[in-house]
Structure formats: structure tokens, C-alpha cells
Amino acid sequence: MRERKLGRIIESIETSDGAGVRLRRSLGAMRGLNPDPFLLLDEFSSEDPDDYIAGFPDHPHRGFETVTYMLDGHMRHEDHLGNRGDLGPGGVQWMTAGRGIIHSEMPQQENGRMRGFQLWINLPAAEKMKPARYRDISAAEVPEIGLSAGRIRVIAGRTEVEGVRAAGPVNPDGRMSTDPLYLDIALEPESSVSLLLPRGHTVAVYVFEGDARVDEGGQRLKAQSAGVLSDGDSVLLASCTSGCRALLLAGKPINEPVVQHGPFVMNTREEIEQAMRDYRDGRLTATQ
Ligand code: CO
């Protein structure tokens, strides 16, 4: 048994996306340093409507999956397939862009707090052109494990902690090719949790409240930064004096070339050019 240690720290940077939504980007902020299969992690958190009201009007994606996890506020998703989803606190939208999707995510509030995350997970070459799929997951569908000093919400994958097993609504059986595990962990001050994770899978921790350590005596991971862990079989996540909230993300690396251009993530430059042509010609989402 080998415990995973904190490897590279990726501090988030302030940026904006969509029609001007302010956010903090950690994974994906430095091109070429993305922990495979993850491409990007954005946190949006603001009580100022000017930071979010413009939303994310119609835009395309091809070649990967986008996962939106809301903590506070409401957004409405609409896409070219006719899906319409209301994203509320604790809810998740899991969208497999595959060959192509055109969608919008617009705030359904004019004031109050808007807070959540968007994660991009890559798809292997064999699945980049599969039909688009969209799933709306309500807060009630996300199981929660009570810990002796905290709790874990299981959005994707399966885990066993303190003798309790749980599987999330996405990838409950580990059959997705990237085998994603997506946990929202809350720990009380000066407490810890230990988890088993498959060896060889990429693991990243993003702290969004308080601060944490991922190995005893190791460096502190402060809020709004991501830590990519070394390989191993387990991880110990410990909160510091104020307690912490963190996302724990794990996935099986794809080990293929990644060529990204804005909302398209493919394996080659030619495939990116094809995606841009398809989008321009209105064929991005064509089904043949
Ligand atoms: Co999008």
C-alpha cells in the first residue's frame, strides 16, 4: 500500500468565459499540464450579478464531456437536441459532447449568489465522435456519505469510506472508459478522511473552502488551488484549523495526443480543422 502525496500545485487564475462570466481556472490554466483525462476545472462564485448575468449563450463542443456542478443559484441549460434542464443547488449536468453539441447555460436569477464548477473530461479517440448525450441530475440523486467529522457527496464513480459504500449517478459501475470519480468532500476542522483509489489513475484535489493537506507533514493546499497527486493506492485528506471543502477527482488516463482549440478537443490538428469547418457549415451536430 502506497499513500499518494501532493505533487504539482496549480493555483487558479482569474479569467472569464462565455459572454463574460468571471471565474477561477485551475486545471487547464496552463496548457500542456493537464492531468489526463482532465482538461479544465473552473469555479464560478459571486454575489455580484455583473459577474455572471451574461451567462454562456449558444456555443459548441466536440470531443469531450463537460460536467457542471452547482452549489448555489440557478442556471438553465438548452441544447440543439431539445433538452432543457434546470440546474439548482447540489445538482449536476453531465454532458457528453461527442461528435457535437450546441448549448447554452443561462442564469435564472438577477441577484444572489451563483456558485459552482465546470469540469472538462476528455474522451478517447474511439468515443470522440459518438452521439451527444445530456443528463440532468438532481441534488436528491447524489448520495451522501456521513463521516465521523464531515461528509462526502458522490457525483460519479464509486467509493468506500469508513465502511460505507456508495456509487454516484454517473459511472456507478466503473464502466466508463475514463472511469471518473467525482467527490465533494466537507471536513470539520482538524479532521481527516482516507480513501482507496485505483493505482495508475490520475487524482486531483481542488480546495474551495478552508485549506487542506493531502499527506501528513506535506505542503498545505490553500483554497482555490488544485493539487495533482503522485501515484499510489490511497489518499489521506486532512483539513486544517478552519475545516475544508474540496473536490476530489480521479480518472483513468487516456494517453493519447490532445489538440485543443477553444471548445473542440481532438487528437490531431486536422480533426480540429474539420470540427471548425463542420461548425461553420452547420454540420457539427449532424448525425451521419
Ligand atoms: Co458549454
Side-chain angles (χ1 to χ4, degrees):
M1 284 286 281
R2 186 162 49 145
E3 197 169 280
R4 289 175 181 260
K5 306 283 182 202
L6 181 60
R8 189 158 34 88
I9 294 176
I10 304 173
E11 285 179 30
S12 64
I13 55 162
E14 207 172 300
T15 183
S16 75
D17 212 337
V21 178
R22 278 175 59 156
L23 41 83
R24 297 203 70 95
R25 180 161 297 162
S26 50
L27 307 185
M30 287 185 289
R31 279 285 165 88
L33 285 178
N34 305 328
D36 185 11
F38 303 111
L39 297 163
L40 174 145
L41 179 66
D42 286 342
E43 175 182 1
F44 46 93
S45 176
S46 180
E47 291 178 18
D48 179 355
D50 287 345
D51 289 342
Y52 60 74
I53 205 77
F56 301 88
D58 268 349
H59 62 278
H61 293 288
R62 173 179 279 182
F64 59 103
E65 303 190 272
T66 72
V67 183
T68 308
Y69 174 38
M70 292 294 286
L71 296 178
D72 299 294
H74 279 97
M75 293 237 254
R76 181 187 286 154
H77 160 102
E78 286 183 305
D79 65 39
H80 78 279
L81 297 167
N83 293 310
R84 226 180 141 126
D86 205 19
L87 261 160
V92 178
Q93 178 207 79
W94 197 288
M95 197 177 79
T96 307
R99 179 194 168 94
I101 197 158
I102 296 170
H103 78 141
S104 63
E105 291 148 304
M106 298 303 289
Q108 300 301 299
Q109 63 191 46
E110 278 162 17
N111 49 55
R113 196 171 195 197
M114 179 74 80
R115 189 184 186 208
F117 305 93
Q118 180 157 108
L119 173 70
W120 289 11
I121 309 175
N122 206 0
L123 284 171
E127 294 177 43
K128 282 187 179 295
M129 295 297 274
K130 72 181 184 183
R133 185 172 177 221
Y134 164 84
R135 278 186 72 183
D136 218 357
I137 298 151
S138 70
E141 293 173 76
V142 177
E144 187 169 308
I145 303 174
L147 304 175
S148 47
R151 60 112 187 96
I152 297 182
R153 301 190 78 224
V154 185
I155 292 161
R158 63 233 172 279
T159 192
E160 181 176 345
V161 56
E162 296 183 4
V164 181
R165 280 186 200 194
V170 176
N171 189 39
D173 46 16
R175 277 155 72 181
M176 283 170 66
S177 54
T178 53
D179 193 8
L181 176 71
Y182 190 150
L183 306 176
D184 168 3
I185 303 175
L187 291 176
E188 291 169 17
E190 309 287 359
S191 62
S192 66
V193 64
S194 184
L195 295 159
L196 292 175
L197 295 163
R199 188 179 276 245
H201 284 204
T202 298
V203 179
V205 173
Y206 179 76
V207 178
F208 61 97
E209 277 179 23
D211 49 10
R213 288 184 207 283
V214 292
D215 50 85
E216 263 163 312
Q219 223 181 320
R220 206 147 31 141
L221 198 53
K222 56 186 199 325
Q224 276 75 48
S225 52
V228 181
L229 309 196
S230 65
D231 200 8
D233 313 279
S234 65
V235 61
L236 179 85
L237 184 73
S239 65
C240 300
T241 45
S242 58
C244 74
R245 276 188 82 180
L247 303 181
L248 187 145
L249 309 167
K252 192 172 165 197
I254 295 171
N255 291 314
E256 290 176 2
V258 176
V259 183
Q260 179 174 354
H261 183 82
F264 308 128
V265 183
M266 304 301 289
N267 298 108
T268 67
R269 186 71 228 165
E270 292 69 39
E271 289 167 346
I272 290 290
E273 281 160 14
Q274 184 68 51
M276 292 195 291
R277 271 197 305 278
D278 286 350
Y279 182 50
R280 189 193 57 209
D281 299 344
R283 293 184 40 80
L284 189 83
T285 60
T287 46
Q288 71 76 46

